[in-house]
Amino acid sequence: MPQIDIVLVEPLYEGNIGFAARVMKNFGFHNMVLVNPPKLTMECTARSSHAKDVLENAERISLEEVFARSDLCIATTGGLSKSVSNPMRMPYYSVAELREMIEGIDGRISILFGRENWGLNNEEIAKCDIVCTIPTSDEYPIMNISHAIGIVCYELAHLQRGEYLLANKTEMNALYAHIERFLEGIQHPIEKRETTVLLARRVLGRTRLTVREASTLHGIMRRTEWHLKHPGQAYDAEDREYWPGDED
């Protein structure tokens, strides 16, 4: 099965961290990551009950380190976009749908949970590959973070071992960078490029590309770039000068 990290981004209350550790262990998850947590005291330990090992082994790293080492990052959010014209928090998926998307993966997956008062910000969500939400009642849609973690862990418990390796974060970042260069090369409107790359990240993130698939997309763009620069000529696969920095 994939290695799943439960990442708490700047949690406000130590009690919630303890409860989160407890519910993680209930469903067989042990990899807790804390990004800029508050000071943890005996209250946190008491809330964790028999999951003190999860709490004691929790990693404390930066969010940048989380993104850098993860093969797939999933943002959880209750604040959703109302239109496909705003792709920041769209498309979004339920946790049950998420299970189907990741169950065949053998790689490192980080599931991000935001601050209790306002969640994850747009910049953090933009760096994630998939957006996930828990459907709640309009009457009272706000969930305690430990409850949200419990629902996610319940849905993802007992995943079967993955069957294939994802393109890793470095390989995917190289692909996104190539897409940016490609958009520049075809003179895609400057004001639309950032949104277009974000849409590409959303599409490619949920398709779970293998290394071969990522390489194929590089190849398609390389060939297109070459023909744009050499119209009417036969393609020369050895000519790499038109795509500097792309080493797939």
Side-chain angles (χ1 to χ4, degrees):
M1 64 181 290
Q3 176 178 323
I4 296 178
D5 292 346
I6 302 299
V7 183
L8 282 67
V9 180
E10 298 186 347
L12 299 176
Y13 308 112
E14 61 169 317
N16 283 338
I17 299 173
F19 282 133
R22 179 175 180 174
V23 77
M24 284 173 60
K25 191 168 183 179
N26 284 150
F27 296 107
F29 293 88
H30 297 84
N31 300 328
M32 173 181 277
V33 178
L34 301 176
V35 176
N36 193 23
K39 181 180 179 180
L40 304 186
T41 68
M42 288 300 297
E43 177 188 353
C44 182
T45 303
R47 302 297 187 194
S48 69
S49 189
H50 295 292
K52 294 180 180 63
D53 57 324
V54 175
L55 196 59
E56 291 170 356
N57 294 323
E59 292 184 272
R60 299 189 184 208
I61 60 177
S62 69
L63 194 52
E64 289 73 20
E65 290 174 296
V66 171
F67 287 128
R69 75 181 188 179
S70 303
D71 297 307
L72 191 73
C73 286
I74 300 168
T76 61
T77 180
L80 303 170
S81 299
K82 303 300 183 182
S83 167
V84 292
S85 298
N86 182 1
M88 181 59 64
R89 297 169 188 261
M90 192 178 250
Y92 50 84
Y93 299 89
S94 70
V95 189
E97 291 174 309
L98 187 63
R99 179 189 177 95
E100 296 178 359
M101 297 170 73
I102 70 173
E103 62 183 350
I105 292 173
D106 189 3
R108 188 169 207 152
I109 298 174
S110 291
I111 305 178
L112 277 59
F113 295 84
R115 307 151 187 87
E116 289 95 329
N117 54 351
W118 51 276
L120 298 170
N121 62 39
N122 283 345
E123 181 180 355
E124 292 159 350
I125 291 176
K127 293 180 179 179
C128 291
D129 305 293
I130 297 174
V131 177
C132 177
T133 191
I134 298 171
T136 53
S137 170
D138 291 338
E139 182 179 1
Y140 190 30
I142 306 302
M143 293 189 69
N144 179 279
I145 187 172
S146 65
H147 296 174
I149 290 172
I151 290 173
V152 170
C153 290
Y154 167 77
E155 288 285 359
L156 300 183
H158 308 302
L159 287 174
Q160 298 300 311
R161 183 168 297 279
E163 298 176 352
Y164 60 89
L165 290 173
L166 288 174
N168 63 35
K169 181 59 64 175
T170 298
E171 290 159 340
M172 290 304 297
N173 284 340
L175 180 59
Y176 297 139
H178 194 172
I179 291 172
E180 289 188 59
R181 297 196 302 274
F182 182 80
L183 293 175
E184 181 181 359
I186 64 173
Q187 298 181 6
H188 191 67
I190 295 176
E191 68 276 10
K192 295 183 178 181
R193 290 178 195 171
E194 184 176 351
T195 298
T196 301
V197 173
L198 176 60
L199 287 169
R201 180 183 288 273
R202 291 285 181 264
V203 172
L204 298 176
R206 66 179 182 265
T207 57
R208 302 163 294 168
L209 294 182
T210 64
V211 175
R212 175 65 183 275
E213 290 167 339
S215 178
T216 297
L217 291 177
H218 275 300
I220 291 170
M221 288 188 289
R222 279 204 305 274
R223 185 177 290 266
T224 301
E225 290 164 338
W226 196 95
H227 281 295
L228 289 173
K229 187 172 182 180
H230 306 89
Q233 297 184 33
Y235 178 61
D236 180 3
E238 298 301 318
D239 182 1
R240 299 170 66 94
E241 56 86 16
Y242 63 95
W243 50 288
D246 183 11
E247 302 295 338
D248 66 295

